[in-house]
Amino acid sequence: MTALAPLRRRSGPSRHGPSGSGASGAGPSPRGAEARAGRAHADDLAVWSFVSGLAGLLVGNLVLGPCALALGALARGTGRRGRALLGLVLGAADLLVLVTLAVANGTLSWAL
C-alpha cells in the first residue's frame, strides 16, 4: 500500500486542492483564458474592419479605408475570417472610390 500512495497523489489533483507548483488544478488555466481573450479581441477587430470599410464607402473613405485595411490585416487569423476578408476588400474599395472620385473631380473632397 505504501508503494501506491505516491502514485495516487501524482495522478490527479488531491481533494485538498492543487499542491506545489500549481501545475495541476481543477480550474481553467490562465493560458486558456488569455487565448480566449485574444480570439475575442481579434473577432472584434474583424467586425470593426468590416464596419469601417462599409462606412468608408459612404463617408470618410480617406480615413476609414486605411483603417479597414489595417484592422482586417490584424484580424486575419480569427474565427470571423470572412468578415476580416470583407473588411480588407471594402477598405481597398474605399481607396479605389477615393482615387476614382479624385481623378474625376480633381480634388480629394467629393461632391455628387
Side-chain angles (χ1 to χ4, degrees), residues 89-107:
V89 170
L90 287 172
D94 290 348
L95 295 179
L96 184 66
V97 166
L98 176 68
V99 167
T100 303
L101 291 173
V103 168
N105 292 336
T107 181

Side-chain angles (χ1 to χ4, degrees), residues 61-85:
N61 48 6
L62 180 64
V63 175
L64 293 176
C67 286
L69 285 172
L71 292 172
L74 289 173
R76 283 183 302 171
T78 108
R80 298 181 187 259
R81 187 177 229 163
R83 203 161 287 166
L85 181 62

